[in-house]
Amino acid sequence: MNKRIINYKSDNIQENVSQKRNVITEKSHLVIKRIILILISIQALIAGILLIKLLSMQILTWEYIISGILAVVIFNVLTGIAARKQIMAVFMSVISLVVSGCLIWGLGVVLKLDHTFERMSQTANTEIVQMAVIVLEDSPAVYISDISGYPVGYMEDESAGEIMQIIDECVDSDVSYHKYGNALGLTDGLLTGMEEAIILNQAYVGLIAEQSGYEDFAAQIRILKTIDMEVIKTNTWRDAEAVSKEQMDIPSRKEDCLIVYISGIDTFGGVNVKSRSDVNILAVINRQKGQIQLINTPRDYYISLPESGAKDKLTHAGLYGIPCSEGALEELYGIEIDYYLRMNFSGFEQVIDTLGGIDVYSEYDFTVEPVRHYTTGYNHLSGIEALAFARERYAFASGDIQRGRNQMEVIKAMIRKLTSVEMLKNYDTILDKLSDAVQTDIPSEVLYDLVQYQLKENTVWEVNSYTVTGTGSHATTYSMPSVTVYVMLPEQKDIDQAKELINNTLSEE
């Protein structure tokens, strides 16, 4: 009797335990189902936001978008079905969590890309002119207010008047201003003591130091204050009634083709600072043919400035703004440039370091002290090493010609790296560096269209390069009219060859 009671109680205990386990299992299953439902809802929400953003950016084709929607719907349906069984529910909840993470990551990439393109183009129509108030190194003046009563020289400039107003507001007694016709005349006024201070675009300091007899100019002066003046880019020469496509004999081309002016400025500050352009490359792009033709024009090329027709070095055209450089190249090659892309040297270095370095081909063995020795063939370069490679010209008999070729090799290497899967490793940092280092007037929709084309066609671009040459000479220039400086007189057969390469790239054949 006692055994039966004990067995009965034992059976009841086991039954109660089993019931409790079943209840716990059912509750756990219910919790997992709710988690899966929440994850499905999150996936649907993120996928919807991502879809709306992609549609607004037009970055993907409908094939990709429809395929993505179907994949998310099918996955969620399968997840719902699998959730009926506890083991499968646990497995699918883990998978759902991974999918949700991927969708969040994808949304982050898209939003970051959109933000980068916006930052790169938000200052496209403005430039910064850095106007400096300069005195001699041994001047007692420390602040602008200290130049009260000083004779101050200046050149006629779009920002000179505003700087004078700022000075007048800071000084106790009147300043006497004297106008000069060119930068060297103004410099002589300061060095000879005729002026105790001068107002000068800071971009001219390096230019003046390159002239014979003025090599120590930067060491002889002290900048009291630099004032950034924002100016609007203008391209009056292209808008003038006297200039037309017919008069310039500009060939027509399809929408699949673009000509982009790549400018590398010789500053280590903001990318929108008006400065000399040391890199002047045309990228002629034909998406249909998967071709990019790079045309390099040496910085010392003796060209005609647009509108005025005055003669100057191409690098000096940058002192008058991107439109001036564009106009000079358009007249030289008989083309119309669609957009520009400008990068400064400091940004150039940071982007390459973020990419993990680039593999650049060198035609020669040479050394840039104290940076590194470069060997013939491919060299894996850091940012500072790539910058030294692109700037060196004294190691070569052809000087600036070879420098231009090296610059195009660096551009080729960057194109290869930026279009590779390695770009995804540090995409966030890379896009941040690009937005700080690059300025462009390429509209976002054009950039998105290029991204869409690359995703759709997976194009392996054929990148070719060509450098025009010329004959070294000396001549006066618009920016330095009182002295003769080294210039390169264009070689007409090279210009004709460059035109032919441009037209061949733009053609449908």
Side-chain angles (χ1 to χ4, degrees), residues 176-315:
S176 56
Y177 297 104
H178 308 112
K179 181 179 175 180
Y180 288 77
N182 59 74
L184 284 184
L186 180 62
T187 301
D188 289 338
L190 178 66
L191 295 178
T192 60
M194 293 181 62
E195 310 296 341
E196 294 188 58
I198 60 173
I199 301 170
L200 182 67
N201 183 338
Q202 196 166 331
Y204 274 92
V205 173
L207 177 59
I208 293 167
E210 289 182 356
Q211 311 310 313
S212 178
Y214 296 88
E215 293 85 356
D216 297 328
F217 178 64
Q220 294 176 296
I221 62 171
R222 182 160 40 84
I223 296 176
L224 291 184
K225 188 174 182 64
T226 299
I227 302 168
D228 290 347
M229 311 297 295
E230 186 175 272
V231 296
I232 304 297
K233 289 192 182 79
T234 57
N235 204 347
T236 55
W237 86 277
R238 182 183 284 180
D239 299 331
E241 294 181 3
V243 178
S244 67
K245 288 186 179 181
E246 290 75 17
Q247 287 173 306
M248 291 179 60
D249 193 27
I250 295 175
S252 59
R253 60 178 186 266
K254 294 182 65 177
E255 291 183 359
D256 281 334
C257 299
L258 293 172
I259 299 180
V260 179
Y261 167 50
I262 301 173
S263 170
I265 58 174
D266 67 343
T267 66
F268 283 84
V271 69
N272 60 337
V273 174
K274 191 180 285 190
S275 171
R276 290 182 297 172
S277 181
D278 271 2
V279 178
N280 299 278
I281 295 173
L282 296 176
V284 186
I285 305 167
N286 188 322
R287 292 187 302 176
Q288 187 177 20
K289 294 165 68 173
Q291 291 182 349
I292 299 176
Q293 176 67 59
L294 301 177
I295 303 292
N296 175 63
T297 310
R299 69 191 294 277
D300 294 326
Y301 236 44
Y302 200 47
I303 47 87
S304 297
L305 298 178
E307 195 169 9
S308 69
K311 289 289 189 179
D312 210 327
K313 294 165 67 160
L314 178 58
T315 183

Side-chain angles (χ1 to χ4, degrees), residues 362-375:
S362 175
E363 294 182 52
Y364 300 100
D365 273 55
F366 67 98
T367 302
V368 178
E369 296 291 354
V371 182
R372 71 168 283 166
H373 176 73
Y374 304 87
T375 59

Side-chain angles (χ1 to χ4, degrees), residues 393-410:
R393 57 175 168 164
Y394 298 110
F396 312 110
S398 57
D400 200 47
I401 301 297
Q402 186 58 41
R403 175 165 68 170
R405 292 174 180 146
N406 288 349
Q407 289 167 352
M408 288 191 289
E409 289 298 330
V410 171

